Amino acid sequence: HVLVPEFAAEAARGIPKDWNRPDTMPQSSENGQLFWGANAKDFFKRSGPSPRPDPGQFLVGFLSSRPGPDSTPDLLQRLGPPMRQDSGWVSFPWNDFDAKRQEELQNWRRAWHGSKLEALYSTIYHGQLKESSNQDRGERLFTGMPGVYVHKDKTAHKADNYVRFVPLCDDGIFWAAKWEVRVDRARAIEKGKNTDQWVQPAASVQLVALWLCGRTAEDMRPNDAVAKKWNPQHEANPKDWS
């Protein structure tokens, strides 16, 4: 059983400003992020071996203290069995994207959204990705282009630039998350666009699978972004969705 920190229901009030702040803080600061290399290895040095990552057990532990809405109190019901992917990633299919839904959306295109682990619970709770629309909250968007920002298959690797590995359980394993989605390109936001990202209204984005990656220090790749610690106050609270 993976001991994941419980959801801090009273204290958790995280917004994108909290999650993006480490990008601009000195690496030496308490809340700055590191990029995997000699300094990060030294910072996370531990005695004894780390357990092997088990994404399925991690997800069970993560959602055990993170209940869903009344319609789906057990959020595990929203996700199917794990499937191993490349580079240590494991995908969990989104159960609502069933055969009927797949047929309805057969003309929608596959895309990828890098996520912060702090947003994971809220996304699973609401069953959708939230549009970036408010720069005052630290949401990143091009002026006049609110929407969900995703990468197409051709630039899928760039979605990984938006993930950050987190030592969530303080057991020597670092976790990161991203989403596989389908998008309706007929509703794309193209006005004044100067980016290789696709920008979509939230209603034109369908969750397809949650991708999780757990890496030990030995598995981490050079320059992987990694948080120094997990801050429960920075986790998004699903009740704050607006």
Side-chain angles (χ1 to χ4, degrees):
H1 182 67
V2 180
L3 292 174
V4 179
E6 292 190 356
F7 180 61
E10 297 302 318
R13 287 292 181 270
I15 59 175
K17 186 178 288 185
D18 300 316
W19 315 333
N20 295 330
R21 192 178 291 122
D23 293 348
T24 57
M25 297 180 76
Q27 290 190 29
S28 58
S29 68
E30 183 183 359
N31 294 308
Q33 71 178 350
L34 298 171
F35 294 94
W36 196 259
N39 288 344
K41 285 180 188 175
D42 191 53
F43 183 85
F44 289 109
K45 203 169 189 178
R46 55 187 286 120
S47 57
S50 300
R52 292 306 304 164
D54 185 332
Q57 284 300 310
F58 168 81
L59 199 57
V60 170
F62 182 79
L63 293 177
S64 65
S65 74
R66 291 165 173 82
D70 292 341
S71 59
T72 319
D74 180 4
L75 288 177
L76 274 175
Q77 295 177 14
R78 297 194 164 174
L79 295 154
M83 296 174 59
R84 297 221 162 264
Q85 306 289 351
D86 292 338
S87 305
W89 289 91
V90 172
S91 65
F92 297 82
W94 188 254
N95 285 334
D96 280 352
F97 190 62
D98 54 16
K100 180 173 180 289
R101 186 70 173 150
Q102 291 174 37
E103 187 174 347
E104 292 171 355
L105 307 186
Q106 58 182 312
N107 294 323
W108 289 30
R109 303 275 300 279
R110 183 166 67 174
W112 303 89
H113 179 84
S115 176
K116 295 295 188 287
L117 209 62
E118 289 86 348
L120 182 58
Y121 172 33
S122 188
T123 300
I124 297 174
Y125 183 103
H126 291 285
Q128 67 180 98
L129 294 172
K130 194 173 188 298
E131 291 185 9
S132 294
S133 61
N134 186 341
Q135 291 175 322
D136 290 339
R137 285 171 41 89
E139 295 170 6
R140 291 172 170 168
L141 66 148
F142 288 98
T143 303
M145 294 184 68
V148 176
Y149 284 66
V150 299
H151 273 284
K152 55 183 177 286
D153 271 342
K154 193 174 179 181
T155 58
H157 63 283
K158 291 189 176 182
D160 291 357
N161 295 337
Y162 296 88
V163 312
R164 182 185 297 127
F165 284 85
V166 180
L168 185 64
C169 309
D170 202 23
D171 59 358
I173 299 176
F174 306 91
W175 293 98
K178 62 183 176 182
W179 288 94
E180 178 185 348
V181 299
R182 295 288 185 278
V183 299
D184 180 7
R185 292 298 292 149
R187 286 188 271 173
I189 299 165
E190 300 283 1
K191 181 183 174 186
K193 183 179 162 191
N194 184 24
T195 173
D196 59 0
Q197 293 181 86
W198 286 347
V199 187
Q200 301 284 151
S204 71
V205 180
Q206 166 69 52
L207 297 180
V208 169
L210 166 65
W211 286 51
L212 285 177
C213 185
R215 291 178 180 163
T216 64
E218 293 72 32
D219 301 326
M220 290 290 278
R221 314 261 169 125
N223 293 318
D224 277 342
V226 56
K228 290 184 175 179
K229 62 182 180 180
W230 171 255
N231 187 332
Q233 295 180 339
H234 287 174
E235 186 169 9
N237 193 316
K239 303 293 175 67
D240 291 345
W241 185 280
S242 61

